[in-house]
Amino acid sequence: MSRALKTADDLRRRATYLAEVVDQLYPGGSAGDAPARPYIVVPGRRKPRVLIPAADRKVAAAALSRYARPAARGARLKRDAAVLALRLGLDRLLLPHRVKVGGAEGIDDHLAAVLGHEVHLSVHIGPARANRKPVLQILDGDANTVAFAKLGVNALTRELVDAETAATKRLSEFCDLRLLRVPRLLHSGNWNGHNLMVTSALPAWEAPADLGTARRTAAMRELADACGTSRFPLGESDYAARLRTRLKALTERGEPDADTLQTAGETLLDRYGSSSMTFGAWHGDWSPWNTRETEERIYLWDLERFETGVPYGFDAVHFRLQDDIVTKATDPTTAVLGLVADAPAILAPMGVAPAEAEPTALLYLVDLAARYMGDQAERAGAALGALGRWLLPTLLRHIARQRTAQAGSTDGTC
């Protein structure tokens, strides 16, 4: 698919999602006597990325400046120009698009009752993904960002919100994290049939400190160790059993390419079954957009994929792959090949032995593919959801080359 077509599809999906998320957050529409709540659509209706409250320019400027930190310098300049326009009262020129929502049953009314004070919301309108859900920045009457909230609105996102609620509570209350800082759980409950999680705000909008990779690696090791570690032959581990079960379930469900993925996974699990590996925890999506490194702390959020008992070092290989594909715009196939080739160097700082590096990277790729497939990411329009176009062929070619090399070594040939 061409970049132009993918861009057009993302724009269409964002515009559709804008209407969908407004209906989810304000199910009463404009009915009743409650006054309408105006929102500004940023940057506009054609490619909405965030809704910010229009009633108070000070709050709107704060919401826009903190909803996220764009990675590209040009995007940050545009965001800063829009913030300045809000502060100067010139927002109608740069941000002309508005939507009005109303009704007496808005999510902001519920959050105000939960938190015990006035709230203003900004709403993130993300790209098409299987796990896309309403994500809300919560500001108080003084324009301080005090919390973030997520709503689970379908089977997958309800499961993820529940998982993140449990992980946030576990890590923030029961684990001794010194270098890392994760959000605190402020509230969990149900609203309008959706499960709701509210957490404290971490400074996602601050400029990151350029402190090299050593502190990030130390933080990844701290998280990997947080719930304890164990060492087993891969074939005797709970992880291998869980992965086999997941792969079998995908095949039985009839997901496209599931039999191919199951074959790849079973081959790896059999080949390395007698190899001892260390197992620990991982964040599940430790990527540049889910963390902020500062002089004092490394902040980490979006814990919906947190898991224990996985091969040690999964976070390191995931960060490398996501950084290559998303931040550096590397071709996905090239990124996968580079990940496997560089696995010993990527995982050495995590304390993973060279002999364990390649199986760790390959198992991670199977695990990631199983996640995308289980979430039905391709049907949701996720950019990397079509596994058959990039991940599976690369993974299978590598496994085939590995099998050929091992057979040649056994036969005494080169």
Side-chain angles (χ1 to χ4, degrees):
M1 183 182 293
S2 73
R3 184 180 181 86
L5 286 175
K6 283 194 285 189
T7 300
D9 187 59
D10 180 58
L11 294 177
R12 178 184 61 80
R13 289 176 181 270
R14 281 181 186 267
T16 300
Y17 184 61
L18 173 61
E20 179 183 322
V21 77
V22 165
D23 288 341
Q24 290 168 343
L25 300 178
Y26 297 95
S30 299
D33 298 327
R37 300 164 172 88
Y39 279 92
I40 302 171
V41 186
V42 181
R45 289 182 181 274
R46 183 172 176 270
K47 49 180 180 181
R49 295 186 180 277
V50 62
L51 297 180
I52 57 176
D56 186 321
R57 286 194 173 95
K58 177 183 176 183
V59 172
L64 183 56
S65 65
R66 299 186 201 134
Y67 96 96
R69 177 177 170 81
R73 183 173 181 271
R76 290 198 299 274
L77 290 174
K78 291 179 181 178
R79 188 272 314 271
D80 292 346
V83 169
L84 181 61
L86 283 163
R87 289 171 176 161
L88 295 176
L90 303 175
D91 47 289
R92 283 284 182 180
L93 296 176
L94 286 182
L95 304 169
H97 296 149
R98 304 291 197 272
V99 294
K100 287 187 177 181
V101 300
E105 299 298 328
I107 183 65
D108 44 3
D109 297 314
H110 180 73
L111 289 172
V114 164
L115 295 174
H117 58 72
E118 176 187 4
V119 302
H120 302 274
L121 306 181
S122 70
V123 185
H124 182 232
I125 308 296
R129 295 183 301 174
N131 63 333
R132 183 163 61 177
K133 66 189 80 64
V135 178
L136 315 175
Q137 178 189 183
I138 304 173
L139 300 95
D140 63 16
D142 295 322
N144 299 308
T145 299
V146 295
F148 284 86
K150 292 184 180 181
L151 278 175
V153 295
N154 55 35
L156 173 61
T157 57
R158 281 192 290 271
E159 178 183 333
L160 292 173
V161 169
D162 284 345
E164 184 166 5
T165 298
T168 301
K169 184 177 181 66
R170 181 178 187 179
L171 288 171
S172 63
E173 296 182 14
F174 302 111
C175 294
D176 183 21
L177 300 177
R178 299 177 183 274
L179 180 56
L180 274 173
R181 178 71 57 82
V182 299
R184 290 179 296 106
L185 183 65
L186 301 180
H187 171 79
S188 64
N190 188 278
W191 176 77
N192 199 42
H194 309 311
N195 53 347
L196 170 67
M197 176 189 74
V198 184
T199 64
S200 61
L202 297 184
W205 51 86
E206 289 187 3
D210 186 8
L211 302 173
T213 60
R215 286 177 78 252
R216 184 192 314 136
T217 299
M220 287 181 176
R221 296 189 69 164
E222 182 175 79
L223 185 67
D225 294 335
C227 301
T229 62
S230 57
R231 190 166 177 83
F232 295 101
L234 175 61
E236 299 176 16
S237 67
D238 289 340
Y239 175 76
R242 296 198 310 268
L243 184 57
R244 289 185 194 275
T245 299
R246 290 169 63 198
L247 296 173
K248 181 180 178 182
L250 292 170
T251 300
E252 291 177 345
R253 207 167 75 185
E255 292 295 333
D257 296 319
D259 53 346
T260 302
L261 179 60
Q262 184 178 18
T263 298
E266 296 281 0
T267 298
L268 289 172
L269 291 170
D270 291 342
R271 179 173 299 159
Y272 295 110
S274 60
S275 301
S276 290
M277 302 180 73
T278 301
F279 299 87
W282 78 311
H283 174 273
D285 191 18
W286 195 317
S287 49
W289 47 92
N290 285 336
T291 187
R292 183 66 67 240
E293 300 173 23
T294 70
E295 295 283 352
E296 299 80 20
R297 297 273 186 172
I298 292 182
Y299 296 95
L300 186 66
W301 55 88
D302 277 0
L303 296 161
E304 63 189 25
R305 303 288 188 175
F306 177 79
E307 188 179 2
T308 59
V310 305
Y312 204 95
F314 265 19
D315 274 326
V317 289
H318 182 81
F319 188 95
R320 161 66 181 266
L321 185 66
Q322 299 301 312
D323 191 38
D324 279 353
I325 293 176
V326 180
T327 307
K328 299 175 182 175
T330 304
D331 171 73
T333 298
T334 303
V336 170
L337 290 172
L339 176 72
V340 177
D342 296 342
I346 297 168
L347 290 167
M350 294 289 294
V352 177
E356 299 168 29
E358 183 173 86
T360 298
L362 293 173
L363 287 168
Y364 157 73
L365 291 171
V366 172
D367 197 293
L368 183 68
R371 176 193 299 181
Y372 285 176
M373 192 175 291
D375 291 354
Q376 298 182 332
E378 183 175 10
R379 297 180 200 179
L384 297 177
L387 300 175
R389 298 178 189 170
W390 67 284
L391 202 161
L392 288 179
T394 311
L395 184 61
L396 291 173
R397 283 199 301 271
H398 188 87
I399 292 173
R401 284 199 300 269
Q402 195 180 56
R403 185 186 300 118
T404 301
Q406 288 183 341
S409 175
T410 302
D411 295 340
T413 59
C414 295

